[in-house]
Amino acid sequence: MFLSLSLVAGRNNLKLILGTAALGIGILLILLFYIIRKLSLSESRVFWKNRSESYQNVENILKNYECFSPKRYTYSDIKKMTNSFRVKLGQGGFGCVFKGTLENGVLVAVKVLKGLKGSGEEFINEVVAISRTSHVNIVTLLGFCFEGRNRALIYEFMPNGSLERFIYDRNSTFRQLGRETLYQIAVGISRGLEYLHRGCNMRILHFDIKPHNVLLDEDFCPKISDFGLAKLCPQKESIISLLGTRGTAGYIAPEVFCRSFGGVSHKSDVYSYGMMILEMVGGRKNIDDGVDQTTELCFPHWIYKRLELDEELRLQGNVNEEANESARKMIIVGLWCIQTDPSHRPAMSKVVEMLEGSPESLQIPPKPFLSSPSRSPAESSTTHFITMCD
């Protein structure tokens, strides 16, 4: 009897202990949930506050530049002109580009941006920087949309798309462009860059010159586009301060990612231009993921070697003396533009002069010792930087 009572009392005590423990754990869980929720709400408020401030900052800047800015459209206008985004022209990290039509029947390209990054610098650059320009070799911004989370840029429509489609051997469309057409495109791009560097009241540094960002109209007249990474600076300033690296691997000047090579300036665009016209002549990318990594040649070294040996560069199109002369000029100018020391590169005004002048007056530059690197199979295609060439 006594043992039975003791067992009952023991079970009751165990139940009491377990109940108390369960109650304590429940209270702790409730407190933990409350703390997490409170922190989450606090972070959310900070996030939305920062986001709201970013939008307001962009709005304020747009108002300050209202006299320079093109027409502003609502998001419903954008949907209407693109027929609810029916025809997609292209896609990138920024978002998508759709074909559109204005009320007057003019065809346009509508660039719909994914989101407002950071302080909205890229969107502001596109609207403010390009709105200051007016040149036959600079794409025209016809309007923009900044409404809540929706942002879009309306450009003139370029029926032939980007230069990238026409300059690499693996693209069948390359056969449509002869050497002389490529040469005229190179000259047009150089004039557009010269205008950005010298023709505006504020010098505009593009920082992302590459074939993808050069658009071609129906007559293959080139127009520089995509000013998302651009930087405005006074004409008198030759060197600018730049936080971090900007641009696309393969076209980034050495000083942009390593200041020991020199100061960042308009000469950084010159480097990108030089690498691009060497690609146009060579018919291949300076960084090509499709090339066998064990036999990949240093691209400018490959170009320079053929210049020294006066070898054919395997370009498509009709071969004649005038076309060969144009190609040779592009090679020499391109090699001058990619000199490691920025002070050894010509200004874009000199580049135009060299391209339009006599080839006999051009001196062959020193052999380049910087270019795209050799890669090991384990390396990612996004980790290309500049290395020494033998």
Side-chain angles (χ1 to χ4, degrees):
M1 181 72 178
F2 176 77
L3 180 60
S4 176
L5 290 174
S6 297
L7 288 174
V8 172
R11 289 195 194 98
N12 290 336
N13 288 336
L14 182 59
K15 289 180 180 179
L16 181 63
I17 292 170
L18 290 175
T20 305
L23 180 62
I25 292 171
I27 292 171
L28 286 174
L29 289 174
I30 292 170
L31 287 173
L32 185 62
F33 173 78
Y34 176 77
I35 291 169
I36 291 173
R37 189 167 184 272
K38 195 170 182 66
L39 288 173
S40 177
L41 288 172
S42 177
E43 289 177 359
S44 178
R45 288 193 196 98
V46 171
F47 170 78
W48 287 109
K49 181 182 178 183
N50 291 339
R51 190 183 182 94
S52 177
E53 287 177 353
S54 294
Y55 279 106
Q56 192 56 50
N57 289 338
V58 173
E59 190 67 66
N60 291 337
I61 292 172
L62 291 174
K63 286 180 179 178
N64 290 336
Y65 285 93
E66 195 168 0
C67 57
F68 296 105
S69 297
K71 184 176 179 180
R72 186 166 183 170
Y73 291 88
T74 65
Y75 189 64
S76 60
D77 293 332
I78 299 298
K79 289 183 68 176
K80 184 178 179 181
M81 72 175 66
T82 60
N83 198 7
S84 296
F85 311 107
R86 179 163 294 182
V87 181
K88 183 189 288 188
L89 299 175
Q91 185 171 345
F94 58 83
C96 298
V97 179
F98 298 91
K99 189 175 182 179
T101 308
L102 298 180
E103 289 184 350
N104 59 6
V106 173
L107 291 177
V108 292
V110 182
K111 183 177 178 181
V112 180
L113 305 179
K114 275 184 179 178
L116 191 64
K117 296 181 180 179
S119 61
E121 179 186 4
E122 291 188 19
F123 179 80
I124 294 168
N125 283 346
E126 289 270 12
V127 176
V128 175
I130 202 170
S131 297
R132 291 173 169 267
T133 66
S134 178
H135 192 273
V136 67
N137 297 119
I138 307 294
V139 71
T140 302
L141 181 66
L142 302 174
F144 70 95
C145 168
F146 184 75
E147 183 180 287
R149 300 177 62 184
N150 302 309
R151 286 155 306 287
L153 300 158
I154 299 96
Y155 289 104
E156 59 178 319
F157 179 70
M158 305 294 283
N160 280 314
S162 72
L163 175 62
E164 186 179 39
R165 297 171 54 199
F166 295 92
I167 65 174
Y168 303 125
D169 286 332
R170 66 175 181 270
N171 296 334
S172 60
T173 49
F174 177 77
R175 297 180 181 274
Q176 298 176 18
L177 300 183
R179 296 191 187 188
E180 193 56 34
T181 302
L182 287 174
Y183 167 72
Q184 292 299 333
I185 290 172
V187 172
I189 300 167
S190 69
R191 288 173 178 163
L193 266 178
E194 179 194 22
Y195 169 78
L196 293 177
H197 293 174
R198 297 184 59 184
C200 304
N201 57 350
M202 289 285 285
R203 175 176 282 166
I204 300 175
L205 309 186
H206 190 280
F207 283 114
D208 204 17
I209 295 296
K210 58 182 179 180
H212 183 77
N213 289 339
V214 174
L215 303 180
L216 303 171
D217 69 9
E218 63 276 7
D219 299 316
F220 289 97
C221 174
K223 295 177 185 283
I224 298 170
S225 69
D226 202 335
F227 285 72
L229 299 180
K231 198 167 179 65
L232 279 66
C233 62
Q235 284 282 3
K236 294 181 180 179
E237 292 184 12
S238 56
I239 305 297
I240 66 167
S241 69
L242 192 67
L243 296 176
T245 300
R246 57 177 67 194
T248 301
Y251 307 94
I252 304 173
E255 67 275 9
V256 174
F257 68 84
C258 183
R259 302 297 187 266
S260 62
F261 287 109
V264 177
S265 68
H266 61 286
K267 295 292 186 73
S268 303
D269 278 348
V270 175
Y271 181 94
S272 303
Y273 171 81
M275 196 60 79
M276 179 176 66
I277 64 170
L278 289 179
E279 288 187 338
M280 293 167 66
V281 177
R284 55 169 281 193
K285 290 186 176 184
N286 71 82
I287 291 180
D288 194 344
D289 296 330
V291 174
D292 181 1
Q293 295 167 346
T294 59
T295 60
E296 181 180 352
L297 293 174
C298 180
F299 180 69
H301 180 73
W302 179 80
I303 290 276
Y304 195 90
K305 189 174 182 179
R306 278 153 181 75
L307 178 65
E308 284 184 315
L309 299 175
D310 200 25
E311 289 184 1
E312 171 61 39
L313 290 168
R314 302 194 294 273
L315 284 172
Q316 305 286 347
N318 296 326
V319 178
N320 55 55
E321 186 176 345
E322 185 180 358
N324 279 325
E325 183 179 282
S326 299
R328 185 176 176 85
K329 282 197 291 186
M330 288 172 66
I331 291 171
I332 295 174
V333 170
L335 291 172
W336 272 114
C337 289
I338 65 166
Q339 293 295 302
T340 307
D341 187 337
S343 65
H344 293 167
R345 300 173 205 152
M348 286 312 303
S349 55
K350 181 64 176 176
V351 169
V352 174
E353 181 184 318
M354 292 165 74
L355 285 173
E356 296 182 331
S358 169
E360 288 77 21
S361 64
L362 297 179
Q363 293 183 340
I364 295 179
K367 185 177 181 179
F369 69 93
L370 287 175
S371 114
S372 57
S374 296
R375 295 167 291 166
S376 65
E379 286 180 310
S380 166
S381 62
T382 60
T383 59
H384 301 310
F385 286 95
I386 294 180
T387 57
M388 293 284 182
C389 286
D390 295 328

